[in-house]
Amino acid sequence: MNKSFWVYFCFYLIILTFSDFFIGAISKATHIKKQHIYAYFIIPLQFIFFYWLYAYKSLQKKKLFWLFLFLYILSFIPVELYFARLTVVYSFNYTVGSFLLMILVCLEFLKQIINDDILKFKQNKMFYINIGIMLFYVGTLPFFGLYNLIVKEPEIWNIYYLYFLLSNCLMYLLFTASFIWGKAKL
């Protein structure tokens, strides 16, 4: 892996930050609902970027990247055919995307364990990113995957929503830690 590929991670974070700050203005200017911007642009961008980062760059399995990209894009077909109304995000897309990302997280941990990179976790950028992804995307999988059921139980919904907020903050703190302590492998 070369150093320059981490520049894309910085650009990804900048794009997400700006999209979150200006989502209202973007929605108003384009007359597209915020939920649709998230469901069809921001969330797919996140999944596709992480498939690229994990499969294509870190694991260096280009075919796996293309397979996961294809499967994720296929997950939009049932949504468009069978689900009529968007409430927050489509749970089916998020479930498929998170499940595929969970596989990549496991493969990355396996790679780190096999070549002893896990022992040098303090300097390993992907270790911090992996923990952040695991806490947020994999941890919120039940929240979004079962959203229509959980929303009917306010106590459970409140607990998961709090976890969603905290794990989101922790993920970005871990991304920051990856830049501060992690060293890119050459």
Side-chain angles (χ1 to χ4, degrees):
M1 291 190 277
N2 59 20
K3 278 186 175 181
S4 65
F5 105 32
W6 290 107
V7 171
Y8 296 119
F9 189 65
C10 292
F11 284 131
Y12 162 78
L13 293 173
I14 290 167
I15 289 169
L16 280 187
T17 302
F18 280 116
S19 66
D20 282 343
F21 277 128
F22 300 113
I23 188 76
I26 294 168
S27 177
K28 222 176 245 190
T30 60
H31 303 290
I32 300 172
K33 290 181 180 180
K34 291 179 196 176
Q35 295 91 337
H36 288 100
I37 294 171
Y38 273 105
Y40 292 108
F41 178 70
I42 295 172
I43 292 173
L45 173 72
Q46 292 173 10
F47 283 123
I48 293 167
F49 178 80
F50 284 119
Y51 297 160
W52 172 82
L53 180 66
Y54 277 90
Y56 202 87
K57 287 297 183 179
S58 183
L59 298 170
Q60 297 182 350
K61 296 181 185 275
K62 294 173 173 82
K63 288 181 182 177
L64 186 64
F65 165 73
W66 291 109
L67 174 66
F68 279 24
L69 178 64
F70 178 72
L71 291 173
Y72 181 66
I73 291 171
L74 272 181
S75 74
F76 281 87
I77 294 172
V79 168
E80 293 301 320
L81 293 177
Y82 301 111
F83 302 117
R85 184 172 71 90
L86 177 66
T87 52
V88 178
V89 294
Y90 289 122
S91 62
F92 184 74
N93 295 90
Y94 193 87
T95 302
V96 169
S98 292
F99 182 73
L100 295 173
L101 198 52
M102 183 173 59
I103 292 169
L104 291 172
V105 165
C106 291
L107 290 174
E108 177 63 28
F109 271 132
L110 187 62
K111 177 188 129 189
Q112 291 177 14
I113 290 168
I114 288 173
N115 68 13
D116 292 336
D117 280 351
I118 200 88
L119 298 174
K120 302 174 228 148
F121 70 92
K122 188 173 180 186
Q123 295 87 22
N124 187 348
K125 272 187 181 301
M126 282 305 289
F127 177 80
Y128 296 103
I129 293 168
N130 223 20
I131 296 293
I133 296 295
M134 188 174 61
L135 285 172
F136 182 71
Y137 287 98
V138 178
T140 59
L141 182 58
F143 181 63
F144 286 108
L146 302 171
Y147 189 85
N148 291 333
L149 296 173
I150 292 174
V151 77
K152 295 173 186 170
E153 300 292 331
E155 294 161 3
I156 296 172
W157 188 91
N158 287 336
I159 292 168
Y160 260 119
Y161 186 70
L162 180 62
Y163 177 79
F164 163 77
L165 294 174
L166 291 173
S167 64
N168 195 18
C169 292
L170 281 172
M171 178 179 68
Y172 287 110
L173 286 173
L174 285 162
F175 288 173
T176 304
S178 78
F179 285 106
I180 294 170
W181 295 309
K183 292 182 177 77
K185 255 186 169 175
L186 299 176

